[in-house]
Amino acid sequence: MIKKLLFLFVLIAIFLAFVPQLAKPSSTLKTVFRLTEQPAVIVKGIQGSALTINISFGEKEVEELLENLSQPYPLLFIDSDWASRFPHITEKIKQRSLPVALLGTEGQHYESDSNLLSEQLRTFEELFSMRPLWFRTTDEEFPLTLLQELNEAEINALGSTVHWSGGTLPKAAKGEIIAVPYAQNEHVAIADIQRLIASRTFQSVEDLLFQSTVKTKKIPQ
């Protein structure tokens, strides 16, 4: 009887030891963190459409743009320097729980300044009280050193399938990620953004990409 109780106790102990491991997510499905095991730029999913807006300029226009957004919200890539100048807009974004990501500068700048990404991340975290899951450079150029930094920080590099600056609407494609600029030298009118939003059914970047397969752009070693 004692031997049976001891055997049962050992089995229970083994079971309890392995339950936490079984509950952990698979390494290939790390929530939204690090969707690719090796440094790479995600440029397309396999279903639906996702809208992203790069914001680094404007005040009243941006406030109007944000007020007119409805769910599912586009992913807003925010320039941390711009956000620092307009804290009242940052607060509105936080109050509405709009999805945000970090918009960097041109890719080449990260090769000449090794501290640039960490400084931008620190500012972003101070403003939004969170670390971004997504990062994009303004020219969508991602040097290998930058990708390695992002990979270590568990931040995904997100490019786009289509960069739309207004005019004729892009033809819908499965898994497309559309990037719309709102910068000083290039920004799309709010009416045009609303026209794009009305042209198809959009979904979040996470829903677009959280599949077993995503398309990436390989980076030369």
Side-chain angles (χ1 to χ4, degrees):
M1 182 66 178
I2 295 176
K3 289 183 178 180
K4 289 184 178 180
L5 288 175
L6 287 173
F7 181 71
L8 182 61
F9 177 78
V10 171
L11 287 178
I12 292 173
I14 293 173
F15 176 76
L16 292 175
F18 276 94
V19 164
Q21 299 298 322
L22 295 173
K24 290 182 179 179
S26 165
S27 60
T28 59
L29 293 175
K30 296 182 178 178
T31 316
V32 182
F33 297 106
R34 200 182 292 165
L35 288 177
T36 59
E37 291 299 328
Q38 299 299 322
V41 183
I42 299 168
V43 295
K44 191 175 183 181
I46 60 172
Q47 64 172 6
S49 302
L51 176 61
T52 65
I53 304 176
N54 302 340
I55 302 177
S56 61
F57 170 78
E59 181 181 1
K60 297 299 182 183
E61 304 94 334
V62 174
E63 289 185 277
E64 182 182 349
L65 169 64
L66 298 180
E67 287 173 2
N68 285 286
L69 293 179
S70 58
Q71 293 184 338
Y73 299 124
L75 178 60
L76 306 177
F77 277 88
I78 304 293
D79 176 273
S80 54
D81 288 337
W82 170 86
S84 297
R85 295 195 298 272
F86 302 105
H88 62 288
I89 300 181
T90 301
E91 286 303 313
K92 289 182 179 180
I93 290 173
K94 291 165 65 176
Q95 289 172 7
R96 292 188 60 189
S97 298
L98 299 177
V100 292
L102 176 57
L103 178 66
T105 181
E106 294 178 358
Q108 63 179 359
H109 292 166
Y110 297 91
E111 293 185 297
S112 57
D113 186 351
S114 60
N115 296 318
L116 181 56
L117 178 62
S118 60
E119 291 171 355
Q120 292 174 333
L121 282 173
R122 181 167 55 253
T123 303
F124 185 95
E125 290 176 19
E126 289 173 354
L127 291 168
F128 292 100
S129 302
M130 59 174 284
R131 169 158 288 211
L133 298 178
W134 311 99
F135 175 85
R136 172 184 288 163
T137 56
T138 53
D139 56 3
E140 297 194 17
E141 294 294 330
F142 295 84
L144 181 58
T145 52
L146 172 59
L147 285 176
Q148 290 171 337
E149 282 189 78
L150 293 171
N151 198 53
E152 290 175 3
E154 295 188 324
I155 299 173
N156 295 294
L158 189 70
S160 66
T161 317
V162 178
H163 182 92
W164 188 68
S165 298
T168 303
L169 291 172
K171 185 178 180 180
K174 288 184 178 180
E176 65 184 354
I177 300 170
I178 300 178
V180 175
Y182 210 89
Q184 185 171 9
N185 61 344
E186 181 187 24
H187 57 272
V188 178
I190 293 174
D192 282 338
I193 294 177
Q194 292 298 330
R195 184 164 57 92
L196 173 63
I197 291 174
S199 70
R200 67 205 71 189
T201 300
F202 285 103
Q203 60 191 72
S204 69
V205 169
E206 288 80 5
D207 288 342
L208 184 85
L209 298 176
F210 200 69
Q211 301 291 327
S212 58
T213 303
V214 294
K215 291 189 178 181
T216 62
K217 180 171 67 176
K218 293 184 178 180
I219 304 299
Q221 298 294 323

